[in-house]
Amino acid sequence: MNEQWSRAFAMLPDRLAAHLGVSAAALALAILIAVPLGMLAISRPAWKTALISTAGILQTIPALALLALFYPLLLLLGGLTQRFAGFGIPALGLLPSLLALSLYALLPLLRGGIDGLGSIPPEILDSADGIGMTRRQRLLQVELPIAAPIVMGGLRTAAVWTIGAATLATTVGQKSLGDLIFAGLQLEDWTLVVTGCLAAAGLAILVDSALANAETGLKERRINKGLSGLVLLTALVAGIIGWHLATRPSATQTAAIVVGAKNFSEQYILAELIADRLRAQGLPVTIRSGLGSAVAFRALAAGDIDVYVDYSGTLWDNVLGRKDIVPRSQMLATLRSELPTRAKVEVAASLGFENAYALAMKRTDATRLGITSLADLTAHASQLRLATDIEFQQRPEWASLQKTYGLKFKTLTAYTPTLMVRALGGGDADVITAFSSDGRIAADDLVLLTDPRGALPAYDALLLVGPHRPDLTAKLDNLQNAIPVEKMRQANWQADRDTDKQTPQQAAKWLAKQLK
Amino acid sequence: MATPAPMLEYADVSVRRGTATLLENITLAIPTGSFVALTGSSGAGKTTLLRLANRLVTADTGEVRVAGKNVAAGDPATLRRGIGYAIQGVGLFPHWTIAENVAAVPRLLGHTGLAARVAELLELVELPRDFAARYPRQLSGGQASRVGLARALAAKPPLLLLDEPFGALDPETRANLGDRLVALHREQNLTTLMVTHDLADALLRADRVIVLDKGRIVADAAPAGIVASDHPAVRALIASPLAQARRLADLLA
């Protein structure tokens, strides 16, 4: 337990510094945009409604979606600049985070500014003009000080929102406190989640109270109070940067290889395994984890990451856009030939196991009913309840299963993965969808039903290498067929189980020892 | 001997807003030292005429001159710092102390050591000295109006523009402050132009009353002359205070 906490704590300084950096930069950018827009809105009332409602509409887009939208947008833009101006634009990491977060901060800033300056009584403006203040003097000496509480209120809201939403930047590959939260959620490591959330909340509260002090100081013109806010803010920033610098690994990692990982345990473990292999060959490596499934391949093709593991069925659908189901060997052969031509991505190795969709039952039930394959299930399905993960019923696999085996279940319910397993354990379901490399299969004594008619596509784990580091293929091809599915299951279980939970690093080290 | 230029002069001035004409062909001279009241019904153009003097409104045609100089030439902020200005809502800056409010214009002019001047000004408008440290929210309406007057006089302007300066005050405060204003006008050698919708106020305080109607001057005379005017707009203005005065006189008799 202590070890988990200290591991979570060790991740903090680096992520806190990155989090603060991206939040501050986004807020600064938002202010840079909001000030001229606010001025425009005040001098031309027709613009006010348009600006406020545009910012309002942006606000209704979930922050996560806004971040995800910027990825393809920047990718497209980068392609255009590459063609016409000869330079690219990074589509992953800081830039999309910065843009999405600053758009998100725009509404409270604009609203605070416009409402604040709009709330000043006309006789005050008239007397400021009448006694001979210039426009600038009126703005700085009269309007802004009077509007300050409302403007600062907007700034505080924007700051708190930005710090909160910055946790989501992890999904587009920007380092942030979200790294802890997302990793923790996937690994069901609550120490990581709690540490990440507390750190983000603490940061937001401290920044908010520092700004509140600055606001009171400004409003009541108490220099000390205003200064105390600034001092608190400066101390906070300096503290986090100092902590980060003090704990930073001393070796400068220039041109490190970036190993990517999607957001589930197996991916974290394999990324650690690959990283260890490369480090053993003396290469500098960093890991960028928590990538969204759709983002990962494009990140590889764009050179934002250099190597990661994906699955043949996923690539078949997402990259090649194919919905048909073909035999395993044919799918592999097609991917090996198509990926290099389409995206300059090489399949360096097929790791030797599948993480495929399958249906699973408790061994006791399967034995009692005499079911070993999907074909056996056909006769019993009308008496059985199926629990699936949330996306399964929308996937082609389900349509194919129904068509091939004529499956008609008594009930059909969608759950989150954890609840789905609980439903089986608690007797609320008889059959569940499962992934073939899931650690729970062995642990919970489940039987995976075989697929004699090939209704389900293959999901072979493939090691993919991006266009900038073709040399990695040779360095990693000894992973070809190196990982048996049983070993992958056990490694996954070490990271997923609740008792004696191992970190992905520990599970990767264990797995490495099992390989030939 | 050439006569000195009037303190304030309007030469064939018109002001338009869109298709509406707010003021039409106003020609008017206000000699140094006079106390002129501008009156008329709502929308007659009183405030517009006043605000032309410190260029808060600009003329579409014609020329406005202060102390012989065209107000349209030169910097408006500089012009305004040289003219006292007080308005109905007072418009004190809520985040500044009374002292800071009163000293606003001298400070804009770069003057320093203003504490003594603030004390002197508070005395002129009959407010206790310790008000200097207060904030506007701590004042009554009458006190705020006095501070507004002190602010307008702070840089010793030769011309004082007042727009309904006692508009929102109770009658007693209004009478006191009106008397004080007339005294200050004399003591400080001011030229005063005061907008008021209250004809009684105009007749009792000013030595010359100008009545506006629909953007034109319909009467311009000493108070006695205004009372004698038979212009319908003037008669309409006089009717209600006159009736009131007669009823009061009957009641007191």
Side-chain angles (χ1 to χ4, degrees):
Chain A
M1 201 61 184
N2 257 335
E3 196 187 329
Q4 271 181 308
W5 283 109
S6 60
R7 184 174 83 92
F9 198 67
M11 285 176 75
L12 263 187
D14 182 31
R15 305 312 196 285
L16 250 180
H19 198 95
L20 186 71
V22 72
S23 308
L27 201 59
L29 181 63
I31 292 170
L32 277 181
I33 300 170
V35 167
L37 286 182
M39 297 277 184
L40 189 69
I42 288 157
S43 58
R44 306 213 180 140
W47 282 80
K48 182 171 145 181
T49 325
L51 279 170
I52 287 281
S53 30
T54 310
I57 289 167
L58 284 174
Q59 209 68 51
T60 62
I61 305 174
L64 195 59
L66 202 59
L67 279 159
L69 277 175
F70 267 101
Y71 183 75
L73 207 66
L74 287 172
L75 215 54
L76 187 76
L77 208 65
L80 291 177
T81 57
Q82 188 75 62
R83 182 183 302 173
F84 296 110
F87 63 90
I89 293 176
L92 214 56
L94 185 62
L95 193 63
S97 320
L98 212 56
L99 294 175
L101 291 175
S102 53
L103 274 187
Y104 218 56
L106 216 49
L107 180 70
L109 288 176
L110 272 180
R111 186 158 274 170
I114 292 171
D115 289 356
L117 293 176
S119 71
I120 298 171
E123 68 270 14
I124 288 177
L125 299 179
D126 186 37
S127 56
D129 288 337
I131 67 168
M133 284 190 179
T134 60
R135 294 265 347 186
R136 191 184 155 78
Q137 286 169 331
R138 187 180 101 173
L139 183 69
L140 295 180
Q141 297 182 26
V142 177
E143 293 183 83
L144 284 180
I146 295 176
I150 302 176
V151 175
M152 282 296 285
L155 180 65
R156 284 169 59 186
T157 307
V160 169
W161 283 7
T162 305
I163 290 169
T167 54
L168 302 171
T170 294
T171 56
V172 290
Q174 165 61 38
K175 205 185 274 178
S176 78
L177 287 168
D179 292 8
L180 282 84
I181 299 170
F182 279 91
L185 283 175
Q186 291 307 324
L187 300 167
E188 297 196 6
D189 179 345
W190 307 116
T191 53
L192 279 177
V193 178
V194 167
T195 309
C197 289
L198 284 182
L203 187 63
I205 290 169
L206 281 175
V207 168
D208 186 52
S209 56
L211 290 175
N213 273 3
E215 176 190 331
T216 319
L218 211 61
K219 189 166 61 183
E220 296 171 7
R221 304 207 306 149
R222 281 156 58 191
I223 305 292
N224 287 343
K225 185 98 180 170
L227 279 181
S228 78
L230 286 181
V231 167
L232 182 56
L233 207 57
T234 315
L236 185 69
V237 171
I240 288 172
I241 293 172
W243 193 18
H244 168 58
L245 291 179
T247 53
R248 195 177 52 164
S250 54
T252 47
Q253 300 187 334
T254 48
I257 296 165
V258 184
V259 180
K262 298 194 203 181
N263 50 13
F264 50 94
S265 311
E266 180 171 295
Q267 286 275 323
Y268 289 92
I269 295 168
L270 290 172
E272 295 288 350
L273 180 84
I274 295 162
D276 281 344
R277 290 249 160 164
L278 293 171
R279 283 192 199 106
Q281 300 176 47
L283 298 165
V285 182
T286 62
I287 293 177
R288 195 175 271 185
S289 57
L291 297 173
S293 187
V295 166
F297 185 83
R298 282 182 290 184
L300 181 74
D304 291 323
I305 60 177
D306 298 310
V307 54
Y308 85 109
V309 174
D310 213 330
Y311 305 93
S312 55
T314 309
L315 297 165
W316 188 252
D317 182 3
N318 290 355
V319 181
L320 303 188
R322 307 239 333 223
K323 304 287 176 202
D324 54 332
I325 292 171
V326 301
R328 185 175 176 181
S329 56
Q330 189 189 331
M331 187 183 276
L332 261 178
T334 310
L335 285 168
R336 280 186 184 275
S337 66
E338 287 276 313
L339 293 183
T341 54
R342 284 195 183 225
K344 299 203 180 77
V345 165
E346 294 285 343
V347 179
S350 176
L351 297 179
F353 72 92
E354 275 192 82
N355 184 352
Y357 264 116
L359 295 191
M361 297 177 71
K362 281 187 197 166
R363 185 174 300 281
T364 49
D365 291 346
T367 313
R368 181 167 50 82
L369 297 168
I371 298 173
T372 59
S373 74
L374 291 168
D376 299 336
L377 199 56
T378 312
H380 297 280
S382 62
Q383 304 303 313
L384 300 175
R385 295 156 302 172
L386 176 67
T388 72
D389 66 37
I390 287 160
E391 61 170 307
F392 184 74
Q393 291 169 38
Q394 275 72 51
R395 292 190 62 92
E397 284 87 349
W398 175 230
S400 171
L401 264 187
Q402 287 174 295
K403 203 176 81 190
T404 312
Y405 295 105
L407 295 176
K408 285 214 161 43
F409 286 93
K410 188 174 162 193
T411 60
L412 197 62
T413 317
Y415 292 96
T416 62
T418 311
L419 288 178
M420 180 179 74
V421 173
R422 291 228 182 105
L424 184 69
D428 293 319
D430 306 302
V431 184
I432 60 169
T433 57
F435 295 105
S436 51
S437 59
D438 193 326
R440 287 188 187 87
I441 290 166
D444 293 355
D445 202 17
L446 303 183
V447 177
L448 283 188
L449 305 182
T450 57
D451 177 19
R453 292 187 214 155
L456 294 171
Y459 280 86
D460 275 294
L462 304 178
L463 186 62
L464 303 181
V465 169
H468 297 312
R469 296 301 297 254
D471 59 309
L472 295 181
T473 305
K475 292 188 168 70
L476 293 168
D477 63 2
N478 55 0
L479 282 169
Q480 175 72 26
N481 280 327
I483 307 177
V485 70
E486 298 78 25
K487 298 295 180 195
M488 192 68 239
R489 276 183 198 153
Q490 287 179 50
N492 284 339
W493 183 238
Q494 292 179 7
D496 285 340
R497 65 192 172 197
D498 295 325
T499 51
D500 190 26
K501 190 190 261 301
Q502 304 288 299
T503 66
Q505 290 96 317
Q506 290 168 327
K509 295 241 180 331
W510 176 87
L511 182 59
K513 279 190 211 125
Q514 313 301 311
L515 309 184
K516 289 143 280 181
Chain B
M1 200 178 89
T3 47
M7 177 56 70
L8 177 60
E9 226 179 336
Y10 297 82
D12 204 20
V13 173
S14 296
V15 177
R16 293 182 192 88
R17 280 283 174 283
T19 54
T21 301
L22 303 187
L23 288 176
E24 198 166 4
N25 305 110
I26 302 285
T27 297
L28 180 65
I30 294 172
T32 303
S34 50
F35 191 135
V36 177
L38 279 176
T39 189
S41 56
S42 297
K46 312 182 286 287
T47 295
T48 307
L49 189 60
L50 182 89
R51 290 163 70 91
L52 278 164
N54 61 357
R55 214 175 134 184
L56 289 170
V57 171
T58 50
D60 291 295
T61 58
E63 197 173 301
V64 180
R65 289 185 284 267
V66 170
K69 278 192 268 182
N70 184 355
V71 297
D75 172 42
T78 310
L79 171 80
R80 291 169 193 158
R81 288 169 196 174
I83 299 174
Y85 184 63
I87 56 175
Q88 174 167 13
V90 189
L92 295 180
F93 305 129
H95 57 303
W96 286 1
T97 60
I98 300 312
E100 287 166 320
N101 268 284
V102 168
V105 182
R107 206 171 49 80
L108 286 172
L109 290 166
H111 301 178
T112 49
L114 295 168
R117 178 69 183 145
V118 168
E120 192 184 332
L121 284 159
L122 288 179
E123 203 171 314
L124 278 184
V125 296
E126 298 173 329
L127 284 175
R129 279 184 177 209
D130 62 356
F131 269 47
R134 295 195 185 185
Y135 281 91
R137 62 176 177 275
Q138 299 167 298
L139 304 187
S140 71
Q143 290 164 343
S145 291
R146 286 173 191 270
V147 174
L149 197 55
R151 179 172 68 180
L153 296 175
K156 302 188 176 167
L159 175 62
L160 179 61
L161 304 177
L162 304 169
D163 191 351
E164 304 276 9
F166 322 124
L169 301 179
D170 65 86
E172 195 188 339
T173 312
R174 196 183 169 95
N176 286 338
L177 208 50
D179 291 344
R180 186 71 208 128
L181 176 64
V182 173
L184 278 171
H185 167 79
R186 290 208 192 94
E187 290 165 18
Q188 308 283 313
N189 299 316
L190 290 163
T191 304
T192 303
L193 183 60
M194 175 175 82
V195 164
T196 175
H197 66 275
D198 183 335
L199 187 69
D201 243 0
L203 294 173
L204 296 175
R205 310 280 175 223
D207 47 44
R208 177 176 166 196
V209 176
I210 294 171
V211 182
L212 285 168
D213 184 51
K214 301 188 185 84
R216 291 168 179 276
I217 294 174
V218 295
D220 179 357
I226 294 293
V227 179
S229 166
D230 54 7
H231 191 282
V234 182
R235 298 312 320 164
L237 277 181
I238 284 178
S240 87
L242 197 59
Q244 206 172 18
R246 282 187 182 136
R247 287 219 303 276
L248 271 175
D250 289 348
L251 210 60
L252 293 168

